[in-house]
Amino acid sequence: MTGERADQLASNLRTVRTRIAAACAAAGRAEDAVALTVVTKFFPASDVALLAGLGVRAVGENKHQEGQEKRPEVVALRGCDDLTWHFVGGLQSNKAAAVAGWADVVESVDRVKLVRGLSRGAVERPKPLVVLVQVSLDPPDAAAGRAGALAEEVPALAEAVAQAPGLVLGGVMGVAPLGGEPAEAFARLHQAAERLQADHPGADRISAGMSGDLEQAVAAGATHVRVGSAVLGPRPVVQ
Ligand SMILES: *Cc1c(COP(=O)(O)O)cnc(C)c1O
């Protein structure tokens, strides 16, 4: 059973790595210019341990409780704590400090209200917490409640992160709009990243692209792609 799952993950991972390499080649970028984060939400610690054995170095979770529980399970299975854990989900300000207790990178910071809690949790860590500013790529008339800071909100948010003890501003993150054209959205994310780097030269990460649109993200300069279902298979449907 485990052997079958390991074979399936290895095969899927090979396919995704080939897609990333091909997209880098097509864009004239070095093959190692793009890092892979495998989004393991809904999948068990045993899958994360198998992925680590296959060379995956970074994993992503979108629920605080799931990540907080899964990380020690993976450490127990592997006997070491060598993965980088990314939080990519919607964040509530009352959970922010706790997320800093297990995540190494928080990609989904879209309002100043989250910064104080993240910082409070982060100063307890041995290493700083890397924070990405999530930029909204939705059209202005998109349904309320989608995540992401508006372009004009990014500078103040980035400054708040950069000033906060325990936090390091890493760059930007974006999710292509539902039903939209990903290439155009990722081009806007790239512009937001360039504006951010003018003020914060070290904040050079651009996290963009998922299973369905990683090629467009790599073409638009993504430095990190977040891939779930193309590696792990379809997730159970949730409302
Ligand atoms: C689930 C998720 C992903 C991965 O999506 P797939 O389409 O399964 O590759 C990437 N980014 C975020 C923010 C996610 O929540």
Side-chain angles (χ1 to χ4, degrees), residues 57-79:
R57 300 275 58 103
V59 295
E61 292 289 334
N62 74 336
K63 296 266 191 315
H64 163 58
Q65 199 184 334
E66 188 177 345
Q68 188 182 41
E69 289 171 4
K70 208 179 286 183
R71 183 167 186 164
E73 288 171 21
V74 173
V75 171
L77 285 168
R78 282 182 57 69

Side-chain angles (χ1 to χ4, degrees), residues 107-112 132-138 146-158 172-174 188-189 192:
E107 301 202 9
S108 43
V109 175
D110 63 358
R111 55 200 191 280
V112 172
L132 307 189
V133 170
Q134 183 173 354
V135 181
S136 172
L137 303 179
D138 289 327
R146 295 265 293 159
L150 301 176
E152 61 265 31
E153 298 169 336
V154 171
L157 178 52
V172 295
M173 182 272 236
R188 279 188 281 123
L189 183 65

Side-chain angles (χ1 to χ4, degrees), residues 26-90:
R29 302 180 62 197
E31 190 164 329
D32 59 0
V34 179
L36 170 65
T37 303
V38 179
V39 180
T40 48
K41 63 193 187 198
F42 293 105
F43 288 94
S46 55
D47 279 354
V48 182
L50 288 172
L51 289 168
L54 294 165
V56 168
R57 300 275 58 103
V59 295
E61 292 289 334
N62 74 336
K63 296 266 191 315
H64 163 58
Q65 199 184 334
E66 188 177 345
Q68 188 182 41
E69 289 171 4
K70 208 179 286 183
R71 183 167 186 164
E73 288 171 21
V74 173
V75 171
L77 285 168
R78 282 182 57 69
C80 62
D81 188 12
D82 59 346
L83 295 177
T84 301
W85 289 74
H86 294 229
F87 184 78
V88 301

